[in-house]
Amino acid sequence: MKQQTSYTVLYGDDSIVVLNKRSGLLVAADRYDPDAPRLDTAASDEFGKLYAVHRIDKDTSGIVIYARTAEAHRVLSLQFQNREVEKVYHALVNGRPAWQSLHVDLKLIPDGDARHRTVVNKREGKSAVTDFTLLGVCPPYSWIEARPETGRTHQIRAHLAANGLGIVCDPLYSGNQKPVRLSEIKRSWNGDPDDERPLLARLALHAYRLTVTHPETGERMTFTAPYQRDMDAVRKQLTKLYGTDPLTAGTAAD
């Protein structure tokens, strides 16, 4: 497994490449910001031309799969289009939901307000379905699993917001970009506040698992992306304090 500053290689062959990207990278070219750092560009030195078959938000970390040939691109794109791909995300949210599981079927329209957010629009929106599961509570946060059936822009964030929940460090949908600091979650912390660095200061949303059918062999394959270092640091600290680990809690739901 080759470690890069922008990504980690989870799997690769002549047809596909599966990467675990850091937060802050676009998956492919963006019309709003053509000069923004991109994962496909960063990985092209190692793999050559890559064909994007799906997208995850720039600020989301985790699994991205690319095709390496035009035929693989066609086959994989159809799988995403036909909802044959299983996607699992993990998120750390502010507060505690009143439910253990939640099925959300709310139509969404991108760029639906002055802040360019995706918003619920039952009349003009496109079908969007997400299933949520509560993985664990660690006040003042909760770990949530999201399984989107569709792939609308900002779908998970918009569906959570519509149900009164905001992902940690998401100023766009939660209105709260407050970072996670050890001093604020550990009562016995006695470090120097002036020298403290946040454990996590970016959107706490991670594309954790992806299941696809290999475009050439037809084999059903599941890939899992370990948390990035900042999100894993938060997980470890909250597990120590509250005994709730989203990685082990999630196995019961799979």
Side-chain angles (χ1 to χ4, degrees):
M1 183 178 293
K2 186 174 181 179
Q3 182 70 43
Q4 303 279 351
T5 56
S6 301
Y7 63 90
T8 300
V9 180
L10 299 175
Y11 176 83
D13 61 27
D14 290 340
S15 298
I16 62 173
V17 171
V18 185
L19 306 177
N20 182 4
K21 86 171 185 78
R22 66 167 174 81
S23 173
L25 283 177
L26 291 170
V27 170
D30 183 276
R31 59 177 175 167
Y32 297 110
D33 192 356
D35 298 321
R38 288 165 44 188
L39 178 62
D40 59 342
T41 301
S44 63
D45 289 342
E46 185 172 359
F47 298 104
K49 183 178 180 179
L50 296 176
Y51 299 80
V53 297
H54 72 124
R55 295 172 184 256
I56 63 175
D57 296 346
K58 180 185 73 171
D59 296 324
T60 301
S61 59
I63 284 187
V64 178
I65 185 170
Y66 289 102
R68 299 188 70 183
T69 68
E71 177 61 15
H73 176 260
R74 184 189 69 81
V75 174
L76 286 173
S77 296
L78 283 174
Q79 288 183 42
F80 279 93
Q81 180 181 323
N82 296 332
R83 304 184 186 181
E84 298 167 353
V85 178
E86 297 175 24
K87 298 167 283 185
V88 177
Y89 289 72
H90 284 184
L92 186 67
V93 302
N94 293 297
R96 176 176 184 168
W99 40 262
Q100 184 63 40
S101 61
L102 180 68
H103 178 76
V104 181
D105 186 351
L106 290 173
K107 293 182 177 180
L108 299 174
I109 186 167
D111 202 11
D113 66 9
R115 298 185 65 191
H116 305 291
R117 291 180 294 190
T118 296
V119 299
V120 173
N121 188 314
K122 296 180 180 179
R123 178 174 296 181
E124 300 178 7
K126 293 184 178 181
S127 172
V129 178
T130 314
D131 285 302
F132 294 101
T133 302
L134 175 62
L135 297 178
V137 177
C138 36
Y141 310 112
S142 297
W143 289 105
I144 301 291
E145 177 188 272
R147 292 176 178 253
E149 291 185 16
T150 48
R152 307 304 176 198
T153 301
H154 295 177
Q155 177 174 317
I156 293 171
R157 299 157 76 181
H159 275 171
L160 283 174
N163 284 276
L165 288 171
I167 297 176
V168 168
C169 293
D170 184 2
L172 192 58
Y173 289 87
S174 73
N176 184 356
Q177 203 173 4
K178 185 179 181 182
V180 179
R181 298 181 183 276
L182 184 59
S183 60
E184 296 178 355
I185 60 177
K186 188 175 182 181
R187 295 178 182 176
S188 60
W189 188 83
N190 56 6
D192 186 345
D194 295 330
D195 293 333
E196 184 185 14
R197 297 178 63 183
L199 294 175
L200 182 111
R202 53 89 175 177
L203 181 71
L205 180 61
H206 183 72
Y208 179 61
R209 186 176 297 138
L210 189 72
T211 301
V212 300
T213 300
H214 193 282
E216 183 174 349
T217 67
E219 177 187 358
R220 196 70 172 163
M221 304 180 75
T222 297
F223 305 100
T224 301
Y227 286 9
Q228 297 289 309
R229 183 177 299 177
D230 52 2
M231 196 161 169
D232 202 47
V234 173
R235 178 190 67 84
K236 289 176 179 177
Q237 289 295 337
L238 292 177
T239 298
K240 287 180 184 178
L241 293 170
Y242 299 100
T244 300
D245 189 339
L247 300 185
T248 56
T251 57
D254 294 334

